[in-house]
Amino acid sequence: MRVNTNKILKNGKSLLLAYDQGLEHGPRDLNLKTVDPSYVFDIALEGMYNGIIVQSGIAEKYYHGYYKDVPLIIKLNGKTTFANSPSLISKQICSVERAIKLGASAVGYTVYDGNPLEPEILAEYGKVIDQAHEYGIPVIGWMYPRGSKHIADLDNDDLAYAARLGLELGSDFIQLKYNNNLEGFKWVVKCAGRSKVLVAGGNKMDEHAFLRRSDEVMRTGAVGMAVGRNVWQHDRPLAVTKAISKMVHDGMSIDDALKLFEEECNKIKK
Ligand code: FBP
């Protein structure tokens, strides 16, 4: 069956909102506002995101009514920080079938490349891709080199290898961390071939730094970003969204995006 990536793309580009940190990091990322998934679904809806990424439980309880206007992406595996071990495997906790029943337009899976348990991870990821593609559902691989002292999250060669691995395994999209190396990352994107590269947001940073980083990301050849904390932890999430969205979808320059961000903040203040 043909894999339909168009549901989470607009003219070949994509801006996704990630909200699976409650499982991956625990409530330390959340406050009284952001602990409520409806708050983040509202941002996704009003910000016209090309998809919202959540775990199945959040989808089951909150993905109803007008939130269904936002394409749903379900993470199929996940692990907590309770055990605090870098070599932990992130096992599948939701089936492709269940994700589809919940309304998923795409599914996601984190691969910790270089982890001692890599053979098991790759076998499970391979099955996920096989099953999802049977239904024509695209797969986003979170390809994170991690779990061995010889590899590093942000090393350019390791990122390039992770991107290539994502392609070799059949990922439709590859989610990577950005290492602030514009030229190096262009090679990483090349290694991903026809798998489309998305970049994660990372820890919350100053919004100007984040917008500058987003501008750089869009010059590497990535098709977009899957961001979380830098949007929903911000006290003006829709202003940040508008600025990144214009850069991702309309190629807006960084200077114009910074201006737009300020204008949006002023509008909200009035
Ligand atoms: P952020 O933009 O908040 O970094 O979210 C992107 C993401 O990939 C999430 O989907 C995931 O929960 C998180 O980052 C994982 O980050 P890490 O593995 O570094 O804890």
Side-chain angles (χ1 to χ4, degrees):
M1 189 184 271
R2 206 178 73 80
V3 177
N4 184 5
T5 53
N6 285 331
K7 283 195 181 164
I8 60 165
L9 285 168
K10 188 179 141 205
N11 300 325
K13 299 283 193 287
S14 187
L15 181 59
L16 308 176
L17 191 60
Y19 186 63
D20 60 328
Q21 292 83 351
L23 186 144
E24 296 289 336
H25 303 154
R28 70 161 197 245
D29 280 348
L30 307 171
N31 63 21
L32 278 175
K33 248 188 331 201
T34 60
V35 74
D36 180 0
S38 308
Y39 176 76
V40 178
F41 272 101
D42 282 336
I43 297 170
L45 186 69
E46 286 173 48
M48 295 195 289
Y49 277 83
N50 303 110
I52 183 162
I53 301 158
V54 291
Q55 287 282 350
S56 55
I58 300 271
E60 199 161 66
K61 306 273 185 295
Y62 294 87
Y63 191 62
H64 299 293
Y66 46 81
Y67 289 152
K68 291 207 163 188
D69 289 349
V70 184
L72 178 71
I73 298 151
I74 294 200
K75 273 299 278 294
L76 299 183
N77 66 340
K79 68 168 183 58
T80 71
T81 55
F82 278 125
N84 207 20
S85 160
S87 66
L88 269 184
I89 190 166
S90 180
K91 289 292 281 183
Q92 187 172 359
I93 47 186
C94 173
S95 67
V96 170
E97 287 75 13
R98 179 161 181 240
I100 291 169
K101 275 187 206 144
L102 290 170
S105 294
V107 291
Y109 186 99
T110 304
V111 174
Y112 294 113
D113 324 305
N115 185 301
L117 296 160
E118 189 183 80
E120 207 181 315
I121 297 172
L122 297 191
E124 190 170 85
Y125 185 48
K127 278 190 200 137
V128 160
I129 292 180
D130 191 22
Q131 287 162 4
H133 286 181
E134 278 286 309
Y135 292 98
I137 295 283
V139 180
I140 306 175
W142 270 241
M143 306 302 294
Y144 288 171
R146 214 177 266 184
S148 147
K149 61 177 186 292
H150 304 295
I151 54 167
D153 243 13
L154 300 178
D155 174 87
N156 213 75
D157 289 341
D158 291 340
L159 279 171
Y161 199 166
R164 191 65 183 188
L165 178 62
L167 168 69
E168 302 269 351
L169 294 169
S171 316
D172 304 290
F173 294 84
I174 295 172
Q175 159 100 340
L176 296 166
K177 302 224 174 208
Y178 185 54
N179 57 0
N180 300 317
N181 175 354
L182 175 60
E183 290 312 314
F185 206 82
K186 285 181 184 169
W187 169 242
V188 173
V189 173
K190 281 262 177 273
C191 289
R194 288 188 180 160
S195 302
K196 300 172 201 315
V197 172
L198 295 163
V199 169
N203 292 336
K204 171 90 167 47
M205 59 177 95
D206 166 79
E207 67 262 345
H208 285 213
F210 180 63
L211 293 179
R212 286 188 193 287
R213 191 173 172 275
S214 307
D215 166 65
E216 207 176 284
V217 162
M218 293 314 294
R219 287 188 277 127
T220 63
V223 299
M225 304 204 296
V227 301
R229 290 162 289 177
N230 275 287
V231 170
W232 48 256
Q233 285 182 347
H234 198 283
D235 55 359
R236 296 280 186 271
L238 291 174
V240 181
T241 298
K242 206 147 201 178
I244 337 171
S245 178
K246 281 282 178 192
M247 286 192 279
V248 169
H249 291 297
D250 302 323
M252 181 179 265
S253 71
I254 180 62
D255 289 345
D256 288 348
L258 289 169
K259 227 185 286 160
L260 178 65
F261 170 74
E262 299 304 336
E263 281 165 13
E264 288 299 311
C265 287
N266 289 335
K267 255 193 228 163
I268 300 164
K269 269 184 218 147
K270 280 176 199 159

